[in-house]
Amino acid sequence: MKLKYLFFLIALIAGGTSGYFFRQNNKPYRLDYHKAVINILVAYRNELDVPTLGIGERFLAEDMAKEMAKYGMKAKVYTLEDSYANLNFNEGFEIYMRAYPELNKGNIHQSFDKDRVAVLFETIPYESGEVYNVDMVFTGSLKKHKQYLKEGIVSHFLPQFTRFDKFYPAAKEEYKTKILYVANQWPGMETRRTIRYALETGVELEVYGKGWGKALTGDKKSWWKKKQLPNEELKYYYSSADIVLNDTRHDMIEAGFISNRIFDVTACKGFLISDYIAEIEEIYGDSIPMYKNKEEFKALIDYYLAHPEERREKAERAYQITKERFGAEKIVKEMVEKMEAYRKERKLKGVED
Amino acid sequence: MKKTGKKIFFLGILLLLFAVGFLYGKNYYQPQKSVVMRVSMEREKIDYDLLAGMNYMQYLFRQNGYKVYETKYPGNFYFNEADNADVNVFVRAYNPFLDIRLKKNAFNICYLHRFTDVHEVEFNGYDYYSSAQHTFINFFDKRRQMTYFQGGAVPHEVLKPNYQYDVLYIYEYYAPEYENIVTQFNKHKLYGGMGFAALSEKERQDELARAKTVVYFSGFFKGDDTNYIPYAAYDIISYGRPLVTNLRESLVQKFGSDVYLFDTADDLGKVLVDALNESDKAREQRAQNARQKLLNTQEKTVFDFIK
């Protein structure tokens, strides 16, 4: 009889001890390294919901999030406002991708714990203070990647990408244009090269984008067709145009970044003429003709307007290159793998550990 | 059959007792309750008022049997000992938090010290909200559990005077017209609130002891209660030092003439002259009176929802 009660007591004590140590091993603040936020920093949450917000990073972030999900990484797009909204997020990775403003150059880990991995996705040249600040960098510039490695920064070269389910050949008669230019003119900045050259050489364009009111006046006002193109319609425009024009900011050319537009247009089998960037030549060869001055600009446009077969042939070659190397699936898969490898190297324990 | 039945019954009782013990060990047994106080700014940027307020809050928690952990930027907010804390206080200072992780089954409290540029989106998800400013408490809608954090100070030992200055001037808000008055006194010492808070406790005590009068100028932030009494003022009173500070009706009600009060810069000059013309004994007596009034009336509980 007494033995029975002893067993009861042992069971009670064993249970109590187990419960106590179970609680001691409870780790409520561990992060989930299969989750990420992509912080574009540029807008407040209600601005992000405006469907025609013309910020490339927003679409890039959304595309990245969608692709990451295929590789087991649940990602959300965050804005500046979300950073300090108490959303109680336990994402292990915080990916920064900005247009403007610049990231705080103070230590990012000043305000969040080191177990959260700060990742920079560099699509335009960032200040060095921003780059030094984070745990790892994915950069779209091979030049900068080499420089970062020399400085001991955890860097990976990762070009931008396009989504083939969003950008694919989709020519439609009602979207046909002769010479298409899709870009925004930001206030206070020099007029973009394509518009300047077109105005100086008399090449007529069809322009879509914001901010062209001052540059396109008088009889040139008619060039400006719309302030905004819904993102889902871009493929029709790119596919249907005889020529799509691209130009790039000086700082991006200097730093060796290729704009996303190159990948999006070529994915639609659009024929592209661009300002000269050595990195484009390296990747695409002569399948994307490039100009170095306004004379070449006009000459290329005149020539290729008159040679549709050559346009088709070059567009096809550029398309194959983009398909092989710059699809979201391939790029994002590599990104997720590298992030996971970094986490393992740092031995960061997540919720599942 | 009967024996098998008895065995099963016996095992069932054992399992039940194990489960009861497990639940008790997991949820109830704890060697000591603990609280983690997280502050949304760097140590060197904390001003005297915030420091005194946090010290007071921590003192109350200790008095109520809690072990207290405190952490500030740079980030180390979710260290091992924090895992089992029963209470988490997020002190929203002058910067927002960027890495909030709330724990289920704990009290998660957001404490807003002074009214500053805040974003309403920050104030979601906590169990309770608290402030020493009624303006903040009134700012949010009634859906949030709001609670007022009372004024007070850690009960300090009285500092023995060791006069070296006539005036110690501590200012949270730079106002040259007030500073010009203070600097006209031969023996004076100036500190910004952050600079004073950055001193060690011993250094602060030494400085307070050296002054015949301690001027604490808090300034007014947009949105402050006009009757808010800074924790720094309470702290100086608790040390038994003669306090000279901005006029507030609440101070008059609490301390009467035992605290010297000024309004304009000219007022400050007059008040200081009057205070310094008093005998040291009379002035020190006022400070002791104020201290007694404070210690006799201040609350002993921390937050009423914490039992």
Side-chain angles (χ1 to χ4, degrees):
Chain A
M1 220 30 183
K2 282 183 185 170
L3 198 61
K4 184 169 73 175
Y5 291 122
L6 182 64
F7 277 124
F8 288 159
L9 188 62
I10 290 169
L12 203 56
I13 293 170
T17 313
S18 306
Y20 175 73
F21 282 107
F22 178 85
R23 191 180 65 179
Q24 293 303 102
N25 286 327
N26 176 34
K27 296 287 175 199
Y29 300 116
R30 278 227 178 126
L31 297 176
D32 189 341
Y33 293 100
H34 293 113
K35 288 185 183 175
V37 296
I38 305 170
N39 200 324
I40 64 171
L41 285 172
V42 80
Y44 288 89
R45 173 50 60 178
N46 60 359
E47 290 176 40
L48 199 64
D49 293 335
V50 171
T52 51
L53 182 68
I55 296 173
E57 278 72 13
R58 178 229 161 152
F59 299 117
L60 193 60
E62 287 173 350
D63 289 347
M64 185 183 283
K66 198 165 176 181
E67 284 303 316
M68 280 183 152
K70 295 178 186 170
Y71 303 105
M73 178 79 70
K74 275 171 79 170
K76 288 186 224 180
V77 178
Y78 262 34
T79 64
L80 187 69
E81 184 183 37
D82 294 321
S83 301
Y84 47 75
N86 179 13
L87 301 175
N88 195 26
F89 62 95
N90 69 339
E91 286 84 355
F93 291 99
E94 179 136 9
I95 302 167
Y96 293 94
M97 184 195 300
R98 71 147 178 91
Y100 294 101
E102 291 167 2
L103 284 172
N104 184 349
K105 293 192 197 67
N107 184 354
I108 251 175
H109 285 293
Q110 191 80 349
S111 48
F112 61 80
D113 281 21
K114 285 200 179 300
D115 59 348
R116 174 165 277 132
V117 180
V119 179
L120 197 67
F121 189 78
E122 191 182 35
T123 57
I124 58 175
Y126 291 177
E127 302 276 324
S128 17
E130 295 173 278
V131 175
Y132 297 148
N133 221 348
V134 296
D135 298 306
M136 61 188 309
V137 180
F138 291 99
T139 177
S141 161
L142 191 54
K143 198 183 199 177
K144 294 203 104 185
H145 166 62
K146 289 175 183 170
Q147 177 201 327
Y148 294 150
L149 287 179
K150 274 191 200 157
E151 293 170 12
I153 293 168
V154 176
S155 169
H156 302 280
F157 170 60
L158 202 73
Q160 288 191 54
F161 53 85
T162 188
R163 273 177 52 195
F164 297 127
D165 59 337
K166 247 173 105 173
F167 292 100
Y168 50 86
K172 282 187 180 183
E173 193 53 42
E174 61 265 42
Y175 289 92
K176 189 162 173 52
T177 54
K178 209 161 140 190
I179 307 170
L180 175 69
Y181 182 57
V182 181
N184 296 324
Q185 174 63 49
W186 298 113
M189 297 189 78
E190 186 191 37
T191 304
R192 294 185 74 152
R193 191 176 321 184
T194 299
I195 297 294
R196 277 192 284 117
Y197 283 4
L199 289 171
E200 287 166 25
T201 58
V203 169
E204 277 199 32
L205 309 178
E206 290 182 48
V207 179
Y208 293 83
K210 288 189 212 171
W212 294 110
K214 279 190 179 160
L216 299 174
T217 55
D219 61 342
K220 303 294 183 276
K221 220 170 160 179
S222 60
W223 290 8
W224 191 15
K225 303 299 178 190
K226 259 187 197 175
K227 276 187 191 170
Q228 195 79 54
L229 279 180
N231 204 247
E232 60 272 17
E233 284 188 23
L234 278 173
K235 59 181 173 289
Y236 303 124
Y237 282 91
Y238 289 157
S239 301
S240 312
D242 289 345
I243 297 176
V244 183
L245 296 176
N246 176 68
D247 60 30
T248 315
R249 281 164 32 188
H250 288 298
D251 57 340
M252 284 188 60
I253 296 175
E254 207 179 292
F257 284 95
I258 300 175
S259 130
N260 228 61
R261 188 176 296 110
I262 303 293
F263 307 126
D264 293 343
V265 173
T266 53
C268 297
K269 280 196 193 178
F271 174 72
L272 197 54
I273 293 179
S274 174
D275 52 352
Y276 180 79
I277 300 175
E279 283 77 9
I280 294 180
E281 188 175 42
E282 204 179 303
I283 296 167
Y284 287 94
D286 67 351
S287 63
I288 297 180
M290 290 183 278
Y291 58 86
K292 288 181 182 170
N293 51 53
K294 65 182 176 195
E295 288 78 20
E296 286 182 12
F297 170 82
K298 178 152 172 43
L300 284 173
I301 290 172
D302 288 344
Y303 179 82
Y304 283 105
L305 277 177
H307 294 85
E309 272 309 312
E310 278 197 53
R311 293 203 307 262
R312 271 191 282 279
E313 183 269 324
K314 285 182 189 293
E316 178 66 38
R317 274 198 284 130
Y319 169 77
Q320 294 300 335
I321 293 167
T322 298
K323 272 291 250 182
E324 195 185 303
R325 294 176 63 176
F326 301 108
E329 210 173 284
K330 179 176 182 293
I331 303 286
V332 174
K333 182 171 185 262
E334 190 182 332
M335 186 175 176
V336 170
E337 283 170 356
K338 290 199 155 60
M339 282 159 64
E340 179 59 21
Y342 177 81
R343 195 265 278 208
K344 282 183 178 153
E345 199 182 303
R346 282 209 24 213
K347 298 187 175 70
L348 293 170
K349 290 188 178 171
V351 290
E352 69 279 8
D353 296 315
Chain B
M1 264 311 253
K2 220 175 170 179
K3 269 191 180 172
T4 311
K6 271 190 179 172
K7 275 183 188 168
I8 291 169
F9 181 72
F10 179 69
L11 279 170
I13 298 284
L14 280 179
L15 276 169
L16 183 65
L17 286 170
F18 183 89
V20 166
F22 184 88
L23 284 172
Y24 177 78
K26 180 175 171 286
N27 296 319
Y28 295 103
Y29 176 69
Q30 46 194 333
Q32 188 179 11
K33 298 177 287 190
S34 63
V35 56
V36 179
M37 188 176 281
R38 298 176 176 89
V39 188
S40 69
M41 51 196 304
E42 301 90 326
R43 174 66 183 89
E44 58 274 12
K45 290 186 183 164
I46 289 174
D47 62 30
Y48 185 22
D49 190 38
L50 178 57
L51 179 70
M54 289 194 316
N55 285 346
Y56 176 51
M57 192 185 289
Q58 289 174 24
Y59 160 76
L60 288 175
F61 271 111
R62 288 190 185 100
Q63 291 299 108
N64 283 270
Y66 282 81
K67 185 167 183 181
V68 176
Y69 298 96
E70 185 188 304
T71 179
K72 306 166 190 67
Y73 290 160
N76 183 25
F77 275 31
Y78 303 102
F79 47 91
N80 287 338
E81 289 82 354
D83 289 341
N84 293 313
D86 310 271
V87 181
N88 296 293
V89 180
F90 290 84
V91 179
R92 205 296 196 182
Y94 302 109
N95 303 326
F97 283 99
L98 297 181
D99 183 8
I100 298 232
R101 306 178 210 177
L102 300 180
K103 186 187 160 199
K104 288 183 203 172
N105 306 322
F107 285 111
N108 298 299
I109 303 165
C110 174
Y111 172 74
L112 183 69
H113 181 64
R114 295 288 288 270
F115 219 100
T116 178
D117 285 329
V118 298
H119 309 271
E120 195 170 343
V121 293
E122 294 180 57
F123 304 107
N124 289 304
Y126 296 95
D127 301 305
Y128 296 95
Y129 300 81
S130 179
S131 179
Q133 306 275 343
H134 284 106
T135 40
F136 172 64
I137 289 173
N138 296 338
F139 180 74
F140 293 110
D141 65 43
K142 300 289 178 249
R143 283 173 294 173
R144 292 182 174 88
Q145 297 254 32
M146 309 294 298
T147 186
Y148 176 68
F149 182 59
Q150 69 277 10
V154 178
H156 297 302
E157 294 287 331
V158 174
L159 293 175
K160 192 173 168 203
N162 173 25
Y163 299 137
Q164 288 181 34
Y165 329 121
D166 287 336
V167 185
L168 171 65
Y169 177 59
I170 305 167
Y171 60 92
E172 305 287 13
Y173 174 72
Y174 176 63
E177 65 274 27
Y178 291 92
E179 190 170 303
N180 288 341
I181 297 292
V182 170
T183 53
Q184 284 178 43
F185 290 84
N186 231 2
K187 294 182 220 168
H188 64 267
K189 186 97 183 256
L190 307 180
Y191 278 102
M194 276 195 260
F196 193 73
L199 300 175
S200 68
E201 190 178 347
K202 176 78 173 53
E203 285 168 335
R204 287 197 297 278
Q205 289 170 353
D206 288 346
E207 288 289 55
L208 290 171
R210 287 175 187 137
K212 288 190 176 184
T213 57
V214 181
V215 180
Y216 178 73
F217 179 65
S218 65
F220 281 102
F221 288 87
K222 179 186 81 171
D224 266 359
D225 269 339
T226 49
N227 272 312
Y228 168 69
I229 299 176
Y231 292 100
Y234 283 127
D235 198 56
I236 294 163
I237 292 170
S238 178
Y239 275 120
R241 303 310 304 133
L243 174 66
V244 182
T245 191
N246 310 67
L247 171 66
R248 288 173 174 84
E249 193 49 45
S250 44
L251 275 166
V252 174
Q253 283 171 10
K254 268 186 165 4
F255 301 105
S257 59
D258 292 325
V259 170
Y260 302 93
L261 299 170
F262 65 89
D263 200 353
T264 62
D266 287 340
D267 246 6
L268 172 60
K270 186 177 179 315
V271 165
L272 279 174
V273 164
D274 288 347
L276 289 166
N277 278 338
E278 275 190 298
S279 67
D280 292 344
K281 189 176 173 185
R283 198 173 49 250
E284 293 293 338
Q285 186 56 54
R286 284 186 200 266
Q288 296 315 308
N289 294 345
R291 182 175 178 276
Q292 270 320 117
K293 284 175 181 171
L294 170 66
L295 298 183
N296 289 346
T297 57
Q298 69 180 13
E299 300 273 347
K300 304 271 186 297
T301 54
V302 53
F303 294 113
D304 51 13
F305 49 80
I306 292 177
K307 303 282 179 262

